[in-house]
Amino acid sequence: MKRTVGTATKGFTTMHRAPRRSRTLIRIQAEFQGISEDASIKGKGYTLDLNINGCRIESNTSVPRGSYIRLRLAIPKAPHPVEIGMARVRWVQTGSFGVEFIQRSAEDLPYISRATTESSREVTVQALQPKSGKAPCTVLVVEDDPDVLHLCAKTLEGVDCKVLKASGSSEALQICSTHSGAIHLLLVDLVLRPPVLQLMSGHEQYPRVHGSDLIEHILRIRKKCHVVFMSGHDETALRALGIEVGGALCLQKPFSREDLLMAINQAMAGPPMVSKAPHSGAVKRAVNAR
């Protein structure tokens, strides 16, 4: 799908898509039931890309984005169906939807982990090596959800990346202005919530903005960086917020460790974003490396 890049990405170069790796998809039978106001939802399907934080479910049952459901997963070799007490539907596509696990038993975590693609094969990470030298890749992660921020940082540190963490755009801009070393890649949530209490004078040195606008501000400081966006919103919701994605990859939440590393590999394999003359490009969504 192609469309004109909006002002959020004006001046960015288009990143070419790297060759896609083949992938093993583990299908596990799932039953789901809505909770509380969503109690009318009931259906069956199959999971894809299961990990301890969520999964994608293929099903003919229509499930609204934002609804809450319970899940029963028939994981092979588990002594009983694995129960997910509460999961939130983060995105919806034709024939499938993505859920984020909110309540799950610690006793079931080993069975979930055993069933994931993460335990069956490792992701190569050679592309995380900066082309400019042998130093570890430095990644700035900007995410207002502390759990997602922690998981992203832990994953990247596990492959020897140096990780800088920011809970919002102001913190990210301050890091970019004061960090003495290189920042090779930006992993940025597209929709960044401002703090509850915020003074809006219009002259903030480090303004509170969404992820797409944040990239423009950072490129004025850093000149060029590789970029991967992430979001729990679909394109319709992003468009309603005035957010356009262009010239960069966007990971749909929830995503697995493998999804994250593959998207970053893909971004690092292409040219970085630079702030130049206005440029139009195609929307590129990293559909969770599928």
Side-chain angles (χ1 to χ4, degrees), residues 7 10 20 27 29 41 48 80 84-85 94 98 115 135 161-162 166 187-188 209 250 274:
T7 56
K10 183 178 180 181
R20 182 176 296 174
R27 293 166 60 85
Q29 188 172 8
I41 300 171
L48 293 174
H80 53 75
I84 305 298
T94 302
C161 287
K162 180 177 180 180
L187 177 61
V188 180
V209 293
C250 184
V274 297

Side-chain angles (χ1 to χ4, degrees), residues 57-70:
I57 296 178
E58 286 189 340
S59 175
N60 293 325
T61 302
S62 178
V63 179
R65 185 173 68 88
S67 55
Y68 290 86
I69 60 176
R70 294 188 184 93

Side-chain angles (χ1 to χ4, degrees), residues 11-283:
F12 294 167
T13 59
T14 301
M15 194 190 75
H16 300 287
R17 185 175 291 276
R20 182 176 296 174
R21 287 170 55 94
S22 61
R23 174 168 205 205
T24 302
L25 301 179
I26 298 177
R27 293 166 60 85
I28 294 172
Q29 188 172 8
E31 298 178 2
F32 52 89
Q33 171 73 55
I35 300 174
S36 187
E37 296 177 356
D38 303 311
S40 61
I41 300 171
K42 187 175 183 179
K44 297 181 179 181
Y46 290 90
T47 71
L48 293 174
D49 305 330
L50 175 67
N51 64 83
I52 62 173
N53 301 306
C55 65
R56 172 188 174 189
I57 296 178
E58 286 189 340
S59 175
N60 293 325
T61 302
S62 178
V63 179
R65 185 173 68 88
S67 55
Y68 290 86
I69 60 176
R70 294 188 184 93
L71 288 167
R72 286 170 58 90
L73 307 177
I75 295 179
K77 298 184 180 180
H80 53 75
V82 171
E83 303 272 353
I84 305 298
M86 181 183 290
R88 185 184 180 191
V89 178
R90 298 301 300 265
W91 58 267
V92 175
Q93 295 176 347
T94 302
S96 67
F97 57 93
V99 297
E100 175 186 14
F101 298 159
I102 298 175
Q103 293 179 0
R104 46 173 169 50
S105 170
E107 295 177 356
D108 289 331
L109 286 181
Y111 304 118
I112 297 175
S113 296
R114 193 176 300 135
T116 64
T117 56
E118 300 167 13
S119 63
S120 63
R121 66 188 182 91
E122 291 294 321
V123 180
T124 57
V125 293
Q126 286 114 350
L128 293 179
Q129 179 99 357
K131 296 177 181 178
S132 57
K134 296 183 179 180
C137 181
T138 299
V139 181
L140 171 58
V141 183
V142 188
E143 170 60 65
D144 54 19
D145 185 324
D147 292 333
V148 177
L149 180 63
H150 172 75
L151 289 170
C152 289
K154 186 176 179 180
T155 295
L156 293 168
E157 288 168 350
V159 293
D160 297 327
C161 287
K162 180 177 180 180
V163 179
L164 308 173
K165 296 184 286 186
S167 60
S169 60
S170 294
E171 294 81 2
L173 288 168
Q174 187 169 7
I175 289 171
C176 287
S177 298
T178 58
H179 180 67
S180 58
I183 297 177
H184 304 101
L185 184 133
L186 308 171
L187 177 61
V188 180
D189 189 9
L190 271 170
V191 181
L192 295 169
R193 295 189 299 269
V196 176
L197 297 176
Q198 175 179 223
L199 296 177
M200 296 296 292
S201 66
H203 301 287
E204 297 87 352
Q205 182 180 4
Y206 303 120
R208 293 281 176 185
V209 293
H210 284 315
S212 50
D213 292 322
L214 173 61
I215 298 301
E216 286 198 48
H217 287 281
I218 290 177
L219 289 182
R220 295 187 192 123
I221 301 170
R222 288 281 163 171
K223 308 305 180 187
K224 63 179 181 179
C225 286
H226 298 274
V227 176
V228 174
F229 287 119
M230 50 186 170
S231 180
H233 297 72
D234 58 24
E235 290 187 13
T236 301
L238 291 173
R239 204 176 297 119
L241 292 170
I243 298 173
E244 297 281 344
V245 182
L249 296 171
C250 184
L251 270 171
Q252 184 75 52
K253 298 177 183 176
F255 49 79
S256 68
R257 170 185 179 275
E258 183 183 53
D259 292 328
L260 175 59
L261 294 180
M262 288 181 73
I264 291 177
N265 278 333
Q266 193 170 330
M268 291 295 293
M273 280 191 173
V274 297
S275 188
K276 285 187 182 179
H279 179 83
S280 294
V283 173

